[in-house]
Amino acid sequence: MGDEGLSAGAAARRLGVAVTTLRTWHQRYGLGPSVHEPGHHRRYTVEDMVRLQVMQRLTAQGVAPAEAAAWACRSPAVLPPTGGPAPSPSAGDPVVSPSVAGPVSVNGPAGGGQTIALGGRAQPAARGLARAAMRLDAPAMRHILESTVTDRGVTFAWEHVMMPVLIGIGERYEATERFVEVEHLLSRSITEALSIVPRPSRELAPQVLLAAADEEQHTLPLEALAAALAESGVPSRLLGARVPPRALLDAVDRTGPTVVVLWSQVPATGDVIQLDRLLARPHPPFLIGAAGPGWPAAALPPAVTRLTGLTGAVHAVTAACA
């Protein structure tokens, strides 16, 4: 960075945020550029950028913006450690506790049109992810998701960070028929974060076959399962969305998996005939798992294992492979 500093656009690009976000931080919290010459736009200095990085990192971790700004203004030259808790503000600093119950609000008051209700027990990372999602801040979403996956593991990230925000956005869509773009960008960011998990050695033949049921388009839960299994050293094949019954049977015949997990999100795709056909193979898989809320629990064949939750699914699959 030169002595003249950075323009708002250049600073926004350096941080990976929108220019409007910088303007909001400036207007609401005083985190604006320091250098001003008559007849020219204000410029961000090195010290300004450090403060903005503190603000960005803390809000990404779920710290309320007012509290994050108070710390950023008080610490112009030192960044807090990545992933660590925000230090407590000194007496006199404005404080808004990041653990306050209620919806996460973005660009509007709590309870307004730009909120995702997560509940009072939501993880700070989930609150930060919700804020980033609502402002379509893909770099911030990836940072939060990848940090959580790396530091806490796939299962924690899925159950305590990814799922609460996905559910919250789904509820907002049901209430408003809006925010499809938020759900799509968040889903893409989750896919990218799950892909950073190292996969087992290519010398290990996958014994697990994962697929979405016929006409089922949701695959994120299967991607989470594949990543969580990889953490446990279990390789898998993931066929993806809308796998026709014939294609699924062909894949089973050609690969001979020990485990097949079939995901159904909605009742329209939870036809148990798909499971019956797997059971009818000359050499059926040792474990056939019906995962997802779309399957009719009372109508599942007795030989099919109902998988509920990522933790239980990982345990059942790894035990079957062992």
Side-chain angles (χ1 to χ4, degrees):
M1 187 188 305
D3 293 339
E4 70 278 4
L6 294 176
S7 66
R13 288 191 295 272
R14 178 75 62 87
L15 294 169
V17 302
V19 174
T20 53
T21 298
L22 294 188
R23 290 174 182 161
T24 299
W25 290 353
H26 183 191
Q27 294 166 1
R28 293 186 183 179
Y29 310 115
L31 294 175
S34 301
V35 175
H36 177 60
E37 297 179 5
H40 296 83
H41 291 294
R42 290 181 178 272
R43 316 286 289 188
Y44 287 88
T45 65
V46 172
E47 291 77 13
D48 294 333
M49 292 301 295
V50 171
R51 284 190 287 268
L52 292 176
Q53 287 174 330
V54 173
M55 180 71 171
Q56 181 187 36
R57 181 174 296 171
L58 294 180
T59 55
Q61 293 171 3
V63 177
E67 184 176 355
W71 177 251
C73 289
R74 198 174 71 253
S75 304
V78 180
L79 285 173
T82 302
S88 301
S90 302
D93 285 338
V95 175
V96 180
S97 173
S99 59
V100 170
V104 173
S105 176
V106 181
N107 296 330
Q114 301 286 332
T115 60
I116 301 175
L118 298 180
R121 299 179 65 87
Q123 292 286 323
R127 292 192 293 272
L129 180 62
R131 292 190 181 96
M134 289 301 286
R135 66 176 184 262
L136 299 179
D137 190 341
M141 283 193 284
R142 286 196 298 271
H143 171 72
I144 296 167
L145 291 166
E146 292 179 5
S147 297
T148 306
V149 168
T150 300
D151 297 341
R152 305 297 298 272
V154 171
T155 300
F156 179 92
W158 176 255
E159 294 180 344
H160 297 285
V161 178
M162 299 173 184
M163 278 297 296
V165 180
L166 285 169
I167 291 171
I169 291 174
E171 291 173 347
R172 292 298 294 140
Y173 173 78
E174 293 296 329
T176 64
E177 295 189 353
R178 296 176 56 206
F179 308 119
V180 172
E181 74 286 357
V182 176
E183 189 273 336
H184 283 192
L185 188 60
L186 174 60
S187 296
R188 180 59 187 170
S189 299
I190 291 174
T191 294
E192 292 174 352
L194 293 172
S195 70
I196 71 170
V197 177
R199 267 37 185 182
S201 170
R202 58 185 296 182
E203 297 178 358
L204 295 175
Q207 303 179 58
V208 180
L209 184 65
L210 311 176
D214 190 21
E215 296 304 322
E216 177 58 65
Q217 301 187 60
H218 297 84
T219 62
L220 279 183
L222 292 175
E223 294 174 39
L225 178 55
L229 290 171
E231 279 187 334
S232 299
V234 178
S236 63
R237 292 184 176 93
L238 174 54
L239 298 185
R242 304 177 64 181
V243 179
R246 181 71 260 174
L248 177 62
L249 295 179
D250 287 344
V252 168
D253 290 342
R254 289 161 64 184
T255 62
T258 302
V259 176
V260 172
V261 176
L262 202 56
W263 175 270
S264 171
Q265 179 76 21
V266 295
T269 65
D271 187 348
V272 296
I273 292 178
Q274 301 169 88
L275 304 171
D276 290 331
R277 290 173 176 171
L278 286 171
L279 290 169
R281 307 312 291 169
H283 302 285
F286 177 75
L287 172 67
I288 297 176
W295 298 108
L300 289 178
V304 170
T305 300
R306 182 166 177 79
L307 302 177
T308 57
L310 182 57
T311 299
V314 171
H315 289 166
V317 172
T318 52
C321 291

